[in-house]
Amino acid sequence: MWRKTFSALRQPCLRIACRRHSSTNTTVSSAVNSMLLRSLKDHYLEVSKMVPPPKVSPPASFTILAGALDGNGPVLKRTFNDKEEINISVMRLANIIPAGNGNDNDDDDSMNQLFLHVNVSKPGQQDSLHFLCGLYPDALGIHSVSMRPKAESSGILVVPSQYTGPVFEDLDESMRDALHSYIDERGVNESLFPFLQAWLYVKDHRNLMRWFKSVGIFINESKSA
């Protein structure tokens, strides 16, 4: 009997304790969500006030691909000699290799180092000539040259599964110079840097704004639920 009486007295207490614990968790979670939403809003407003760089146009021979700011594909394209199509994709070294020691000078240097994927294709050819280049304000260097299969339907370069060519630095100097002349003749040189640097700034700014907004919407919906 005592056991039954003790159990009967204890059960309501347990339910009350659980409700209080649940209520405390809900209060803490709501406070955390509110704090995070406030921080996201503050940063969103701060970033929205950043002054963009002066508008820069690409060299006259190139055109900007529609929707390039919202995707990860090529940024610029041009036609050369009425038969070659040249597509250029770009990314920053800073987005590939994180800063090592937090030195501001190193950060500035990495922001001024761009990687280009230059794809030269011809009608009826299944393979494309692909250049991986480093682009700087005053120079362009070739890291590798390879032949890669191209998906005709989408124009997306497929990751090669076969031998793609020798290490660029192992080629003799005359061959390296000739390859530099080849892409320079097609307008792929340091003249692209001002536009691509400004374009990446706009893209990074847009992505950051979109990130603050999407995270805020997610947290706010969780809060409402």
Side-chain angles (χ1 to χ4, degrees), residues 12-25:
C13 293
L14 285 174
R15 286 197 293 271
I16 292 171
C18 288
R19 284 199 296 271
R20 287 176 179 172
H21 185 67
S22 177
S23 176
T24 301
N25 283 343

Side-chain angles (χ1 to χ4, degrees), residues 129-171:
L129 187 58
H130 180 267
F131 294 81
L132 176 61
C133 305
L135 179 63
Y136 308 88
D138 57 353
L140 179 139
I142 299 175
H143 291 293
S144 67
V145 182
S146 60
M147 296 298 299
R148 297 190 180 187
K150 184 186 69 173
E152 293 292 346
S153 59
S154 63
I156 298 174
L157 287 172
V158 179
V159 177
S161 58
Q162 300 177 351
Y163 176 73
T164 57
V167 176
F168 186 75
E169 291 302 321
D170 290 346
L171 297 173

Side-chain angles (χ1 to χ4, degrees), residues 180-204:
H180 274 103
S181 297
Y182 178 88
I183 60 172
D184 183 72
E185 184 183 19
R186 286 153 179 78
V188 183
N189 50 47
E190 61 272 16
S191 68
L192 294 170
F193 185 89
F195 167 76
L196 291 175
Q197 178 77 309
W199 185 88
L200 281 172
Y201 177 93
V202 174
K203 182 179 177 68
D204 291 345

Side-chain angles (χ1 to χ4, degrees), residues 23-190:
S23 176
T24 301
N25 283 343
T26 301
T27 301
V28 171
S29 179
S30 179
V32 170
N33 286 351
S34 297
M35 181 177 65
L36 179 54
L37 286 171
R38 189 161 54 248
S39 178
L40 286 167
K41 181 179 179 181
D42 290 344
H43 282 81
Y44 180 90
L45 292 174
E46 181 180 353
V47 172
S48 68
K49 296 175 183 177
M50 295 174 65
V51 180
K55 187 175 181 179
V56 181
S57 298
S61 56
F62 287 93
T63 58
I64 306 170
L65 275 81
L69 278 173
D70 297 314
N72 295 316
V75 177
L76 295 173
K77 70 174 182 178
R78 69 163 295 186
T79 301
F80 182 76
N81 283 343
D82 296 326
K83 60 181 181 179
E84 293 180 2
E85 182 176 302
I86 301 167
N87 291 314
I88 297 177
S89 303
V90 62
M91 63 185 69
R92 276 202 185 91
L93 177 64
N95 294 338
I96 304 173
I97 304 176
N101 54 16
N103 188 299
D104 290 341
N105 291 330
D106 289 343
D107 292 343
D108 291 341
D109 289 342
S110 63
M111 292 296 284
N112 285 330
Q113 298 180 44
L114 309 181
F115 273 137
L116 300 188
H117 290 270
V118 182
N119 182 52
V120 182
S121 59
K122 296 181 179 181
Q125 295 285 341
Q126 294 184 347
D127 291 335
S128 298
L129 187 58
H130 180 267
F131 294 81
L132 176 61
C133 305
L135 179 63
Y136 308 88
D138 57 353
L140 179 139
I142 299 175
H143 291 293
S144 67
V145 182
S146 60
M147 296 298 299
R148 297 190 180 187
K150 184 186 69 173
E152 293 292 346
S153 59
S154 63
I156 298 174
L157 287 172
V158 179
V159 177
S161 58
Q162 300 177 351
Y163 176 73
T164 57
V167 176
F168 186 75
E169 291 302 321
D170 290 346
L171 297 173
D172 64 50
E173 186 176 358
S174 62
M175 174 70 74
R176 296 198 303 268
D177 289 345
L179 287 167
H180 274 103
S181 297
Y182 178 88
I183 60 172
D184 183 72
E185 184 183 19
R186 286 153 179 78
V188 183
N189 50 47
E190 61 272 16

